[in-house]
Amino acid sequence: MRIERLKTDILILGSGGAGLFAAIHAKQANPDLDVTIAAKGLLGKSGCTRMVQGGYNVALGAGDSIERHFMDTIVGGKWLPRQDLAWTLCVKAVERIREMENEVGCFFDRNPDGTLHQKAFAGQSFDRTVHKGDLTGIEIINRLMEQVWALDARRLEEHRAIELIPARDGSGIAGVLLIDIRDGSYRLVEAKAVLLGTGAGPTMYLYHTPSGDKSCDGLAMALRYGLALRDMEMVQFHPTGLLGGPDTRMTGTVLEEGLRGAGGYLLNGAGERFMENQHPAGERATRDIVSRAIYAEMRAGRTTPMGGVFIEMAHLGPERVEDLFPGMVKRCADCGFDLAGGRVEVVPTAHYMMGGVEFEADCSTASPGLFAAGEDCGGVHGANRLGGNGVANSTVFGGIAGESMAAFVAGQRNWREPDESVIDAAIARAERPFTQAGGDLNGLRETLWQQMWDNVGILRTAAGLEQGRAAVADLAATLEGTGLADADRAFNLTWHDWLNLQNLLTISGVIAEAALAREDSRGAHFREDFPETGDLAKSAFTRVRLEGQDLETAMVPVIFDRVQPGESLIADEAGAPPVAAV
């Protein structure tokens, strides 16, 4: 089969906040670099950064500090974050927000005195979330997109990466094999440095927020490539996904955390507030706590007509709600709900993956030439990502990755020779559905959604996890024997549904495996059969690798190289977060 081949200095996979910032910083470091950006959709129009509503955490206000932001991140992550990564996030967020304002051209909301407005988000000891109304991601990605369009960079839009290709001599990465979705052809891009910034996306759950093109492609490729994945049991459920009914894709869409931060109430089907009985912070508790509380109401049958709970904002004043949250008020109105003056049904929705590729603070990985940034990476957030730390993560480490790749490429005179056997195997795998009889992909996908929601979701047990793991394995075997009715490869979206489902099944198995290995509860991972957290000083993270055809899991001790459990960098300051919160 003919494969088009091209060479570039730097190949960036993904056009969200991580990928676009990487391109900008790489070209700033060396304008002569040949930079190529490959996106599964259209540049700046696909991915999850564009969907960010709430905002961007950064320590700017009087009384706030990098140390306070760091401690909120560590405590919120239940002492599992890798501390050098969390510290880098908090320090560089200050630099990056100034860059977005003064160089990228972002306009964020301001106070009457001209300072940046920062709103309250759950799980934080200070109001530090910078925003543009409730449409922050659109502002960031639109301005980044304008900057990247002005760069001398090659754009491969509607190109799907399917395999990371190692060098034949094992010296590092040689390039990436992609499918041009527009005509179905294969393209090998050889690169001296590659950025994995595809953005994960837990769309294997019944209720989920990311767009349907997010299917954990980067994580599945990294696993097959031989990289270790950490914290993969830590899947964050946002407490308030819109519940619009079974016949609309709007179900699962996030109603942002700022609603609860502003004073919104959560009510069960009987109209009773229930969070006050669950946590001292009430509705402003962290996402994992609120999601579990909602799920408990659902399991007890105290639900709304469609099976969720209500969020209510009317007591704050409808005009004020419309002013603060225009995007969400309109979105709810489009679905027939009155967010400003009535009640809206919500349900916990799979939102973000704290786990991912193990990487260093300079965004390098264990494979020379392969870098990673954003949601494809693990270690920054630990067991729970604070709202507002996600887009900060992507933009902070995306910029760092661009600088690191430029420096790396400066020392690489030649491209590595790709391993042709890996290319052949990847094409054979992608071509497999064309050799099978057509089948029911929708049925397989819906079965996966239900199995992951029921057995590998918000509340877990060993029996449920084992059932979920077995079901995922059965679905994977069924998929291998399921083909396509249409042999045309140009814009064959059913083919890409098949490939999406294959990657989702791969990573679903990893999530179940890691969740079985963690026999305690913390953050997004709650084991009803092991409800206690245990000794924080003995904290360990999960590490999953693919050895042959089998997953191997290890528990690796967390290194506390900046602050120990029981200590705080801001212990003497008023409002410091609790040092051992679980």
Side-chain angles (χ1 to χ4, degrees), residues 217-241:
D217 299 341
L219 297 181
M221 289 190 295
L223 187 73
R224 291 194 298 267
Y225 187 74
L227 295 184
L229 306 182
R230 68 171 285 169
D231 298 326
M232 287 298 292
E233 72 276 22
M234 301 302 178
V235 179
Q236 182 169 82
F237 285 80
H238 195 292
T240 52

Side-chain angles (χ1 to χ4, degrees), residues 67-359:
E67 289 80 6
R68 183 183 294 277
H69 185 187
F70 172 79
M71 285 306 304
D72 284 345
T73 300
I74 296 299
V75 171
K78 312 307 178 192
W79 294 91
L80 283 188
R82 184 171 143 173
Q83 294 191 1
D84 63 333
L85 299 178
W87 182 257
T88 300
L89 171 73
C90 299
V91 170
K92 286 289 186 178
V94 179
E95 174 184 319
R96 197 69 78 236
I97 203 76
R98 298 303 190 199
E99 178 184 356
M100 282 195 284
E101 278 198 296
N102 299 322
E103 299 178 33
V104 177
C106 294
F107 287 91
F108 300 113
D109 289 1
R110 293 187 175 274
N111 297 309
D113 65 359
T115 58
L116 284 170
H117 182 264
Q118 295 180 270
K119 62 184 175 182
F121 253 37
Q124 300 185 61
S125 62
F126 203 90
D127 296 353
R128 66 169 62 93
T129 307
V130 171
H131 63 105
K132 174 71 170 178
D134 57 356
L135 300 170
T136 309
I138 290 177
E139 176 66 16
I140 292 173
I141 213 71
N142 281 356
R143 303 292 80 77
L144 285 174
M145 186 169 55
E146 292 166 355
Q147 295 292 325
V148 170
W149 278 345
L151 295 177
D152 178 22
R154 182 188 292 111
R155 303 196 299 268
L156 298 178
E157 296 181 300
E158 295 180 317
H159 276 66
R160 162 188 209 121
I162 62 169
E163 199 76 1
L164 304 175
I165 306 301
R168 190 168 65 88
D169 62 3
S171 60
I173 193 162
V176 179
L177 183 66
L178 304 101
I179 296 173
D180 185 341
I181 295 170
R182 298 166 299 183
D183 61 15
S185 64
Y186 294 93
R187 179 167 285 120
L188 177 69
V189 180
E190 297 180 47
K192 297 175 183 177
V194 173
L195 175 66
L196 194 62
T198 62
T203 58
M204 65 280 287
Y205 287 91
L206 178 62
Y207 304 111
H208 56 264
T209 68
S211 56
D213 64 340
K214 307 303 292 184
S215 51
C216 299
D217 299 341
L219 297 181
M221 289 190 295
L223 187 73
R224 291 194 298 267
Y225 187 74
L227 295 184
L229 306 182
R230 68 171 285 169
D231 298 326
M232 287 298 292
E233 72 276 22
M234 301 302 178
V235 179
Q236 182 169 82
F237 285 80
H238 195 292
T240 52
L242 178 66
L243 187 54
D247 298 322
T248 171
R249 182 58 188 90
M250 291 301 292
T251 287
T253 302
V254 162
L255 298 183
E256 64 122 318
E257 195 157 285
L259 296 173
R260 292 182 288 117
Y265 293 158
L266 292 174
L267 312 171
N268 62 23
E272 304 162 333
R273 288 183 71 187
F274 55 89
M275 280 308 305
E276 292 177 311
N277 300 323
Q278 297 290 330
H279 193 273
E283 283 87 353
R284 287 183 62 174
T286 53
R287 292 173 174 179
D288 55 308
I289 293 169
V290 181
S291 291
R292 286 197 296 273
I294 293 174
Y295 191 82
E297 294 295 306
M298 294 168 63
R299 194 160 65 171
R302 296 186 288 268
T303 61
T304 59
M306 286 190 287
V309 300
F310 291 115
I311 189 166
E312 182 179 81
M313 305 295 294
H315 57 283
L316 301 177
E319 290 184 0
R320 180 167 179 247
V321 175
E322 289 177 3
D323 182 57
L324 290 173
F325 306 105
M328 276 179 292
V329 169
K330 183 179 186 304
R331 178 176 302 156
C332 289
D334 288 344
C335 295
F337 300 112
D338 181 7
L339 177 64
R343 294 174 176 176
V344 178
E345 294 186 57
V346 295
V347 66
T349 178
H351 182 52
Y352 190 92
M353 301 181 74
M354 278 74 75
V357 174
E358 291 193 45
F359 78 125

Side-chain angles (χ1 to χ4, degrees), residues 3 43 47 55 195 215 266 316 334 364 388 416 420 428 433 441 469 485 492 526 543 548 563:
I3 305 173
L43 188 73
L195 175 66
S215 51
L266 292 174
L316 301 177
D334 288 344
S364 62
R416 297 177 178 86
E420 298 293 334
L441 289 182
R469 181 174 63 177
N492 189 333
F526 192 87
R543 172 183 286 160
V563 62

